[in-house]
């Protein structure tokens, strides 16, 4: 649809919203995010119910290492900010700026992921895993689901960057990047919830 | 593995063995498959199948494919129902073994709800909703095809369990610990979990697609309050899907992880809570029954107002009552397990919220009656199904309110009274609506009507059979017969009632056979629909030729009010419209990717069912590769030229002049 609609682009509107196709796809993506929120909400509910169901295994307090998690949080927060900068460059139609900021975003994401994997390995070596108790099942699945989402986001946004590098900024690539950015912010917001519900509460209780 | 081990595995575990009916089924399935492959090859139809169907992104064809698969599933689920009823016809029958019986009622329930009723409705929405809002397509045609193929692979995976590995047997709700790894190792339950998971993803994407379509693709002038009521019901249903299905995804996923990776979400060792599954399941499961009933209400509303030849009475009240029902549907789930021992306060809350649903539902019934009041009523087959629905649904609803009373539920719980209640609402609601919709929109799909005489025969036989089956079920339930028992003793006073039920069930089976025959008969001899408007319809789908052209509307219609086409006909605008010049129409490209992606989902699912991780992961890699290919897809589509449109519209209209 891209070519057909390029001529009908309205001025003064962000490129990704300029044609009907862009607007429809962005709405569709918001709806998808709504479903994702319900998905995570269910996992949070399970986790919170299972908070003290550790059987005779270790508790969160004994295992959690908050320092790494705080760093992770900062990495993801900053990456959200840099992806915002990428969107800003998108509006200015500055391909190079977009690519640079987005690559920084992805690198931050990769480091976040590395730390998470590391965290999991440490925990497992300290003797907890998915089958230790209901609590640890809930922990690994909730945080792991977020991690899988981040992995998916990194691959997906990289593919979009390849397209931007090849074709520059047009209605299609800007829409894709905009949606990728939304997704990235969403993952950040979910992480804030995880940080609060999992790590802060886990340390206190 | 050496050769004899492989042989042991194949005979001992892989292929289901032992029962002659299953051998017969295996042979039948093999023969049918060979038959289909042979016929397609012989008639050189492979290319046609691929081009016209497997790769299509046309919402009408996708709708038709949904309907075909759902019909097949209705056949399978119906055969299961007859097997159940045969086993229960007389005391101490040994037609089915206890284990087989468990498998049969489990597949019956699961298939009827998830692979028959819901996809059937989604198929009808696919066919009719975009036409009703004057759209050229759904918002995401490619995604629509993917949704269908995901449903298809989920359904096939689930059905495969019958001949390979063994059918699930823990009931359609699949509760742990019965469905957990300790009590049910092996592949059976995995089929349920993964088959539903794959199909469920397809349903979720459909929901997203329909919401975006309805919000963004309406013809100019069609405000929300001018939308046909069936479109409204599709919108609300889709919103329920959006909020309910992710919960199912989680429930199924957690149980799968428990089984495959030894986590403790629902096992008491490790302090997991089986009742957590029950809560999650019904938090999806109750809204699911509204996913099944709201589109049905929409269909009945269209059919009743068309054949009463009146505007739908209380249109706004209908819309608001659907919205209220959809909200309430999320706060009643505990009524499925009052006896699980929640606190009295909780039970009371859920008891009252459940009863509250009767109010908006009652409003709808009165609106239908008032639409009929003083109407010029035509008794077409579609209309008969809609009229037959009302008294039967009221019976189901009234007994539902009885069940909603928490203390009384301790008496009814898991008895045949309950079984009868939900069949009353599901059959008179959903199944009747499916048949109403099928007869109503058939001409728009295929260009000819279904035979009315055969249709009416089927209707009467079905309605009578339905009541003969389920009225005695209420009684025998109150007498103490519980669900999911595979046989009963003599002398309990249940025998006559059970025998009558079985007769009724067979009557319904024959009625279904008549409907199927009618499809065949009408394809050969059915009355052709040359006008595009066989029922003197009110909504936009009747303003275009039958069968609907792939671009739907040659001119985008302008909507001036509710019942847009009726207004056009009154103002005599229909002829004028045809004289306007045509503009080229942009169409999306067909794609084989949705089919391929679902094939990989199927492979992956099959791997995980057998806990062959390499195969599961391989399938997922296939899915990933296609997703990557898709990102780089330009998907520019193509244009149908104005000359071509002119030619096709003329051809369709020439037919009308011949008349
Ligand atoms: C020919 C019509 C039908 C007959 C005779 C029939 C009969 C039955 C019977 C006797 C049972 C109870 C099995 C038991 O508890 O042992 C049952 C269960 C069930 N039926 Fe039907 N049925 C029919 C159609 C349908 C339809 C159309 C639906 C859904 C749209 C449906 C959904 C269910 C469900 C969900 C269960 C519960 C299964 C379970 O307990 O896990 N049935 N049916
Ligand atoms: Cu319910």
């Amino acid at each position: 649809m891209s070519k057909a609609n390029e001529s009908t682009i309205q001025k003064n509107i962000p490129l990704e919203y300029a044609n009907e196709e862009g607007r429809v796809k962005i709405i569709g993506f918001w709806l998808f995010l709504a479903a994702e929120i319900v998905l995570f909400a269910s996992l949070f509910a399970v986790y919170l119910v299972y908070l003290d169901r550790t059987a005779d295994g270790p508790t969160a307090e004994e295992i959690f290492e908050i320092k790494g998690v705080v760093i992770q949080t900062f990495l993801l927060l900053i990456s959200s900010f840099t992806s915002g900068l990428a969107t800003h460059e998108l509006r200015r139609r500055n391909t190079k700026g977009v690519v640079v900021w987005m690559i920084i975003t992805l690198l931050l994401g990769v480091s976040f992921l590395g730390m998470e994997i590391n965290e999991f390995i440490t925990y497992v070596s300290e003797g907890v895993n998915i089958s230790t108790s209901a609590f640890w099942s809930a922990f690994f699945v909730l945080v792991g689901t977020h991690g899988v989402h981040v992995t998916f986001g990194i691959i997906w946004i990289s593919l979009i960057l390849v397209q931007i590098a090849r074709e520059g900024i047009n209605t299609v690539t800007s829409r894709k990047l905009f949606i990728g950015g939304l997704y990235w912010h969403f993952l950040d917001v979910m992480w804030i919830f995880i940080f609060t519900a999992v790590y802060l509460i886990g340390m206190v209780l | 593995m050496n050769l004899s081990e492989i042989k042991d595995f194949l005979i001992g575990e892989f292929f289901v063995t032992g029962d002659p009916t299953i051998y017969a089924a295996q042979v039948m399935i093999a023969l049918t498959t060979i038959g289909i492959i042979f016929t397609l090859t012989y008639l050189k139809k492979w290319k046609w199948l691929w081009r016209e169907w497997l790769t299509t992104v046309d919402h009408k064809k996708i709708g038709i494919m949904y309907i075909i698969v759902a019909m097949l599933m209705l056949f399978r689920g119906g055969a299961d129902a007859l097997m159940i009823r045969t086993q229960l016809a007389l005391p101490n029958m040994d037609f089915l073994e206890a284990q087989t019986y468990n498998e049969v009622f489990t597949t019956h329930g699961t298939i009827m709800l998830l692979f028959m009723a819901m996809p059937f409705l989604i198929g009808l929405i696919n066919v009719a909703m975009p036409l009703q809002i004057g759209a050229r397509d759904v918002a995401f045609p490619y995604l629509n095809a993917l949704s269908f193929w995901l449903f298809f692979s989920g359904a096939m995976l689930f059905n495969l369990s019958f001949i390979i590995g063994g059918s699930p047997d823990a009931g359609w709700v699949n509760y742990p610990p019965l469905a957990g790894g300790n009590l049910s190792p092996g592949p059976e339950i995995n089929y349920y979990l993964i088959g539903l998971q794959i199909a469920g993803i397809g349903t979720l994407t459909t929901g997203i697609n329909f919401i975006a379509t309805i919000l963004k693709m309406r013809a100019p002038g069609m405000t929300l309050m001018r939308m046909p009521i069936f479109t409204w019901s599709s919108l609300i249903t889709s919103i329920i899907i959006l909020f309910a299905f992710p919960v199912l995804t989680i429930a199924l996923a957690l149980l799968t992880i428990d089984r495959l990776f030894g986590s403790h979400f629902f096992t008491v060792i490790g302090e997991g809570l089986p009742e957590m599954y029950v809560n999650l399941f019904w938090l999806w499961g109750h809204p699911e029954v509204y996913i099944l009933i709201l589109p049905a209400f929409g269909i009945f509303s269209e059919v009743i107002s068309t054949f009463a030849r009146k505007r739908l009475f209380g249109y706004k009240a209908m819309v608001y009552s659907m919205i209220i029902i959809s909200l309430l549907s999320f706060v009643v789930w505990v009524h499925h397990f009052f006896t699980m021992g929640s606190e009295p306060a909780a039970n009371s809350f859920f008891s009252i919220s459940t009863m509250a649903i009767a109010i908006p539902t009652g409003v709808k019934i009165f609106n239908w009656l008032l639409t009929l009041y003083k109407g010029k009523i035509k008794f077409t087959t579609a209309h008969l199904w809609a009229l037959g629905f009302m008294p039967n649904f009221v019976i189901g609803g009234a007994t539902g309110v009885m069940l909603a009373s928490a203390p009384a539920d301790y008496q009814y719980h898991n008895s045949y009274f309950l079984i009868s209640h939900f069949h009353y609402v599901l059959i008179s609601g959903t199944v009747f609506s499916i048949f109403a919709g099928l007869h109503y929109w058939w001409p728009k799909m295929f260009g000819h009507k279904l035979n009315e005489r055969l249709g009416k025969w089927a209707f009467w036989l079905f309605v009578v059979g339905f009541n003969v089956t389920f009225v005695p079920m209420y009684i025998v339930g109150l007498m103490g017969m519980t669900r999911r028992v595979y046989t009963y003793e003599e002398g309990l006073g249940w025998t006559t009632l059970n025998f009558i039920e079985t007769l009724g069930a067979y009557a319904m089976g024959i009625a279904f056979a008549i409907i199927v025959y009618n499809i065949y008969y009408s394809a050969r001899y059915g009355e052709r629909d040359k006008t595009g408007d066989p029922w003197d319809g009110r909504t936009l789908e009747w303003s275009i030729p039958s069968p609907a052209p792939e671009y739907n509307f040659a001119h985008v219609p302008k909507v001036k009010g509710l019942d847009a086409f009726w207004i056009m006909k009154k103002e005599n605008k229909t002829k004028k419209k045809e004289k306007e010049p045509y503009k080229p129409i942009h169409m999306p490209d067909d794609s084989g990717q949705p089919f391929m992606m679902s094939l990989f989902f199927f492979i992956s699912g099959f791997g995980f069912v057998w806990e062959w991780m390499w195969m599961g992961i391989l399938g997922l890699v296939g899915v990933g590769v296609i997703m990557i290919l898709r990102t780089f897809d330009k998907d520019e589509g193509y244009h149908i030229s104005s000359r071509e449109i002119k030619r096709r519209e003329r051809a369709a209209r020439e037919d009308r002049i011949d008349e």
Side-chain angles (χ1 to χ4, degrees):
Chain A
M1 228 179 262
S2 53
K3 288 256 164 58
N5 286 342
E6 209 83 43
S7 54
T8 56
I9 292 172
Q10 292 158 297
K11 294 278 178 275
N12 305 325
I13 288 184
L15 212 47
E16 64 272 14
Y17 282 104
N19 63 28
E20 188 61 31
E21 194 197 3
R23 289 193 291 270
V24 174
K25 291 212 161 142
I26 290 169
I27 290 251
F29 193 75
W30 276 109
L31 293 168
F32 168 73
L33 285 185
E36 287 269 71
I37 289 172
V38 180
L39 189 109
F40 274 101
S42 313
L43 285 176
F44 277 115
V46 172
Y47 178 82
L48 291 175
V49 172
Y50 287 178
L51 259 184
D52 55 357
R53 307 191 74 87
T54 47
D56 294 325
T59 62
E61 246 182 322
E62 291 164 37
I63 303 286
F64 279 174
E65 287 181 13
I66 207 76
K67 205 179 114 211
V69 180
V70 172
I71 299 175
Q72 271 181 286
T73 308
F74 275 110
L75 287 177
L76 213 55
L77 278 178
I78 297 168
S79 82
S80 220
F81 178 66
T82 52
S83 95
L85 290 178
T87 312
H88 181 69
E89 294 299 328
L90 188 70
R91 295 279 154 77
R92 296 175 46 195
R93 311 212 176 168
N94 174 1
T95 311
K96 213 171 131 210
V98 170
V99 174
V100 168
W101 282 118
M102 223 49 208
I103 287 180
I104 295 177
T105 306
L106 293 181
L107 287 177
L108 288 165
V110 171
S111 343
F112 168 88
L113 224 108
M115 288 191 68
E116 182 156 279
I117 293 171
N118 194 35
E119 184 199 353
F120 277 16
I121 292 175
T122 318
Y123 291 0
V124 170
S125 71
E126 288 174 15
V128 292
N129 58 44
I130 197 167
S131 45
T132 305
S133 65
F135 169 78
W136 288 106
S137 304
F139 168 82
F140 279 108
V141 169
L142 171 58
V143 181
T145 304
H146 181 266
V148 170
H149 276 73
V150 174
T151 315
F152 182 80
I154 291 172
I155 298 174
W156 179 30
I157 294 174
S158 314
L159 294 171
I160 296 172
L161 279 188
V162 173
Q163 291 167 55
I164 293 208
R166 271 201 208 153
E167 294 164 31
I169 295 170
N170 56 35
T171 47
V172 177
T173 51
S174 68
R175 180 197 76 227
K176 288 188 177 179
L177 194 86
F178 179 76
I179 290 179
L182 278 184
Y183 189 65
W184 197 257
H185 290 309
F186 165 77
L187 293 180
D188 192 34
V189 173
M190 278 305 127
W191 178 258
I192 300 297
F193 279 103
I194 291 185
F195 183 70
T196 318
V198 176
Y199 294 102
L200 287 187
I201 294 182
M203 291 307 283
V204 176
L205 290 182
Chain B
M1 255 201 217
N2 61 34
L3 222 57
S4 80
E5 269 172 4
I6 292 178
K7 195 176 141 223
D8 283 350
F9 169 72
L10 285 180
I11 296 176
E13 287 180 51
F14 195 71
F15 289 110
V16 177
T17 48
D19 197 300
T21 51
I22 293 185
Y23 288 128
Q26 283 167 337
V27 172
M28 284 290 287
I29 290 171
L31 287 180
T32 319
T33 315
I34 294 170
I36 292 172
I37 292 174
F38 177 80
T39 318
L40 284 170
T41 313
Y42 185 75
L43 297 174
K44 301 204 172 73
K45 286 285 187 188
W46 282 108
K47 222 180 185 166
W48 165 83
L49 186 70
W50 177 256
R51 280 243 193 92
E52 295 288 317
W53 295 97
L54 304 192
T55 59
T56 188
V57 294
D58 180 339
H59 68 92
K60 298 169 293 290
K61 284 188 179 168
I62 290 172
I64 289 170
M65 290 194 289
Y66 265 112
I67 291 171
I68 292 172
V69 179
M71 282 291 264
L72 287 175
M73 291 296 115
L74 182 54
F75 181 76
R76 161 99 208 252
D80 285 339
L82 293 185
M83 276 155 67
I84 298 173
R85 280 312 328 162
T86 308
Q87 166 65 19
L88 294 178
L90 294 168
N92 299 318
M93 282 277 273
D94 56 1
F95 173 68
L96 300 175
E97 285 167 32
Q99 171 61 21
T100 320
Y101 187 84
N102 293 348
E103 293 171 7
V104 170
F105 74 68
T106 301
T107 47
H108 163 74
T110 313
I111 284 182
M112 282 296 200
L113 294 171
L114 289 142
F115 298 126
M116 188 286 283
M118 192 173 52
F120 213 127
L121 293 167
I122 289 178
L124 290 171
I125 296 175
N126 252 310
V127 168
M129 178 273 284
L131 300 179
Q132 287 200 323
I133 60 172
R136 292 243 161 89
D137 212 328
V138 293
F140 312 115
Y142 174 97
L143 187 68
N144 200 20
L146 180 62
S147 302
F148 167 73
W149 288 111
L150 285 174
F151 150 64
F152 183 74
S153 20
M156 289 305 119
L157 191 64
F158 184 85
N159 275 280
L160 202 60
S161 66
F162 180 50
I163 50 168
I164 294 179
S167 300
D169 58 358
W172 88 277
V173 294
N174 205 54
Y175 286 167
L178 185 55
N182 286 332
L183 293 177
S184 305
E188 296 89 344
I189 302 289
N190 296 348
Y191 273 115
Y192 172 98
L193 292 169
I194 295 165
L196 260 59
Q197 189 70 282
I198 294 175
I201 302 169
T203 310
L204 180 65
T205 46
T206 297
I208 292 174
N209 208 339
F210 287 162
I211 299 175
T213 305
I214 296 172
L215 292 183
K216 299 298 283 184
M217 313 279 282
R218 277 168 289 141
M222 182 167 285
T223 57
L224 285 178
M225 278 301 171
R226 287 178 181 174
M227 282 189 332
I229 199 81
F230 178 65
T231 298
W232 257 112
S233 74
S234 312
L235 175 63
I236 295 174
T237 303
S238 307
I239 294 173
I240 301 181
I241 289 178
L242 184 69
F243 289 106
F245 265 77
V247 186
L248 176 70
T249 303
I250 292 300
L252 297 173
L254 298 188
L255 188 51
T256 313
I257 299 174
D258 264 8
R259 293 174 54 89
L260 265 55
F261 303 105
S263 58
H264 291 297
F265 285 104
F266 309 126
T267 53
V268 180
I269 356 161
E271 294 197 347
L273 296 166
E275 54 273 39
M276 176 61 91
Y277 176 88
V278 179
N279 272 294
L280 288 173
F281 184 88
W282 285 108
L283 191 50
W284 159 79
H286 192 84
E288 166 70 12
V289 306
Y290 290 92
I291 295 169
L292 297 175
I293 204 65
L294 290 180
F297 286 172
I299 294 172
F300 292 133
S301 302
E302 297 292 346
V303 168
I304 288 173
S305 89
T306 302
F307 295 115
R309 310 180 59 68
K310 269 175 69 187
R311 197 185 146 134
L312 185 68
F313 184 89
Y315 169 85
K316 279 196 176 153
M318 290 293 217
V319 172
Y320 290 124
S321 59
M322 279 198 286
I323 294 174
I324 293 170
I325 291 175
S326 72
L327 295 175
L328 284 174
S329 77
F330 281 93
V331 293
V332 300
W333 78 92
V334 170
H335 67 210
H336 292 273
F337 43 89
F338 283 141
T339 57
M340 202 166 77
S342 325
E343 286 159 35
N347 274 2
S348 310
F349 170 81
F350 287 100
S351 186
I352 293 166
S353 58
T354 304
M355 292 184 192
I357 291 195
I359 299 166
T361 313
V363 168
K364 301 186 80 78
I365 302 264
F366 283 114
N367 282 330
W368 287 316
L369 292 176
L370 287 166
T371 308
L372 289 166
Y373 180 67
K374 285 192 172 165
K376 297 192 206 79
I377 296 175
K378 280 200 225 158
F379 291 100
T380 58
T381 309
H383 202 197
L384 285 182
W385 285 109
L387 296 174
F389 144 79
M390 280 186 277
N392 288 303
F393 191 79
V394 169
I395 298 177
T399 49
V401 175
M402 289 168 71
L403 286 159
S405 161
D409 187 59
Y410 277 78
Q411 178 69 23
Y412 312 130
H413 187 66
N414 276 354
S415 75
Y416 264 87
F417 187 85
L418 161 88
I419 300 281
S420 189
H421 150 70
F422 75 68
H423 283 89
Y424 256 97
V425 281
L426 280 172
I427 295 184
S428 77
T430 309
V431 177
F432 282 25
S433 82
I434 280 167
F435 290 145
L438 198 69
H439 286 82
Y440 184 62
W441 282 305
W442 194 267
K444 197 48 66 190
M445 290 188 270
F446 297 104
H448 63 264
K449 286 191 188 178
L450 286 173
N451 183 280
E452 285 284 316
R453 246 174 77 86
L454 286 170
K456 285 176 186 165
W457 270 103
F459 167 76
W460 285 109
L461 192 59
F462 196 95
V463 175
V464 172
F466 167 59
N467 281 286
V468 169
T469 312
F470 291 99
V471 168
M473 238 185 241
Y474 276 128
I475 303 171
V476 81
L478 292 177
M479 290 166 76
M481 182 161 165
T482 47
R483 76 194 288 196
R484 298 177 183 162
V485 289
Y486 84 106
T487 191
Y488 51 94
E489 294 296 310
E490 251 168 293
L492 294 167
W494 302 351
T495 309
T496 320
L497 292 170
N498 270 289
F499 190 75
I500 295 173
E501 288 167 25
T502 304
L503 293 181
Y506 275 91
M508 279 190 271
I510 298 170
F512 175 70
I514 297 177
I515 291 171
V516 174
Y517 175 71
N518 193 357
I519 289 174
Y520 161 79
Y521 178 88
S522 304
R524 298 195 62 167
Y525 310 109
E527 178 193 336
R528 276 207 54 200
D529 171 22
K530 293 179 174 170
T531 60
D533 183 20
W535 315 117
D536 199 3
R538 314 176 70 82
T539 40
L540 287 174
E541 72 266 39
W542 307 110
S543 68
I544 55 174
S546 292
E550 56 176 319
Y551 48 79
N552 296 355
F553 294 88
H555 300 291
V556 175
K558 288 196 185 56
V559 176
K560 290 205 184 137
L562 187 62
D563 291 345
F565 184 48
W566 191 256
I567 297 176
M568 283 180 200
K569 283 196 275 195
K570 276 226 175 119
E571 294 180 348
N572 251 328
K573 286 265 170 65
T574 45
K575 282 277 164 326
K576 210 175 111 201
K577 193 100 223 190
E578 281 160 8
K579 296 213 182 69
E580 280 172 32
Y582 297 107
K583 286 195 201 112
I585 296 176
H586 183 262
M587 301 294 292
D589 279 327
D590 285 351
S591 170
Q593 285 176 4
F595 178 81
M596 295 307 290
M597 211 193 287
S598 304
L599 189 67
F600 282 117
F601 263 106
F602 181 88
I603 293 171
S604 170
F606 190 75
F608 285 122
V609 162
W610 286 92
E611 303 181 27
W612 299 335
M613 296 305 157
W614 61 271
M615 189 172 174
I617 291 166
L618 198 77
L620 286 182
V621 169
V623 172
V625 167
I626 294 185
M627 282 166 99
I628 291 174
L629 288 178
R630 171 65 182 172
T631 344
F632 288 103
D633 225 346
K634 285 281 186 310
D635 192 23
E636 289 181 326
Y638 64 98
H639 282 89
I640 304 183
S641 68
S642 39
R643 265 184 58 200
E644 175 66 14
I645 298 167
K646 194 168 176 182
R647 192 186 65 73
R648 289 201 215 173
E649 289 288 311
R650 259 222 193 122
R653 230 174 314 141
E654 231 113 73
D655 268 356
R656 296 190 208 178
I657 293 163
D658 288 349
E659 229 180 331

